[in-house]
Amino acid sequence: LYRRYGLWFRLRKLILWLLGMYIAIPFLVKLCPAIQAKLVFLNFVRVPYFIDLKRPQDQGLNHTCNYYLQPEEDVTIGVWHTVPAALWKNARGKDQLWFEEALGSSHPVILYLHGNAGTRGGDHRVELYKVLSSLGYHVVTFDYRGWGDSIGSPSERGMTYDALHVFDWIKARSGDNPVYIWGHSLGTGVATNLVRRLCERETPPDALILESPFTNIREEARSHPFSVASTQYFPGFDWFFLDPITTSGIKFANDENVKYISCSLLILHAEDDPVVPFHLGKKLYNIAATSRSFRDYKVQFVPFHTDLGYRHKYIYRSPELPRILREFLGKPEHEHHH
């Protein structure tokens, strides 16, 4: 009897604790919007953890240089510059100055804006740099302030400003070579913020590529698998969890930004994406395709069938990707095939 009473006492204690957490966590998030901001950015998650970001060659990027740029006082961002495969041999042992000057060689440049969590050295990101390099592109990527070894506090405004700084840094060195912007996942929000600003100041990029994009962060947060389960069992989910995101000044309004963008747009999305649902990418395409700002430009949506298994971050594996990019962007000079 005593044992049964003790078990019931512990079970009751556990139920009360779970109930307390169920009530406390939403109020905690509501009172401290910074918690929700951290969950959007996930910049504290460093996977894989033991990468030395100063040594891109450890990730098989022997033709990559690590730089540090300073967009603002007290902000330093780590940058990787991977040269096209045709320049690999020449790149061995060269210093930063050589790499900077190489941006002026006759190859197009892709500025890659990664998603939340991890760093510029994440596995799927590194594999994409290798693919793009083999196709004849320079790839410049960086960790936003607060990510990886970059110094500063993350914010949507700060991330966008970092991207603007790197874009201007590229343009100052790339001569007449085309510069394309590629955003993935949360990076699509940074990308459309950046390109909207570039179009407003009349210095648009040569094209914008959005991989696994959403419409806006609120709609994405509501469509996330965790949220879909929570909205069914939690009254006031929007007020507790989504409103604090807006209060933190986080919008990443791709659906609004595309109405002010005037350059070619390519959207890539896998049908089996479990993180950013396919229907959000399709919805963004429909908004862009009917926007007056794109009337003189190509707007293309490329779906990848569920059977391919590319999910949220493996579109780089597609054997069709080189053809898709060649047809959309035109053929880069000195294209290299392994």
Side-chain angles (χ1 to χ4, degrees), residues 177-199:
N177 297 326
V179 178
Y180 308 119
I181 291 167
W182 184 312
H184 172 242
S185 192
L186 189 68
T188 64
V190 183
T192 66
N193 280 350
L194 169 62
V195 176
R196 176 176 175 174
R197 189 179 290 194
L198 293 176
C199 291

Side-chain angles (χ1 to χ4, degrees), residues 129-167:
Y129 313 154
K130 289 175 182 174
V131 169
L132 295 176
S133 171
S134 74
L135 296 176
Y137 299 99
H138 287 275
V139 183
V140 177
T141 187
F142 67 95
D143 280 317
Y144 317 104
R145 60 187 73 189
W147 270 259
D149 58 354
S150 297
I151 296 162
S153 299
S155 68
E156 181 173 353
R157 185 208 69 83
M159 294 162 77
T160 304
Y161 192 81
D162 293 345
L164 180 65
H165 183 80
V166 178
F167 178 84

Side-chain angles (χ1 to χ4, degrees), residues 64 80-84 103 108-112 128-133 137-141:
T64 297
W80 280 0
H81 171 198
T82 302
V83 294
L103 284 168
V109 185
I110 290 177
L111 169 57
Y112 177 78
L128 179 65
Y129 313 154
K130 289 175 182 174
V131 169
L132 295 176
S133 171
Y137 299 99
H138 287 275
V139 183
V140 177
T141 187

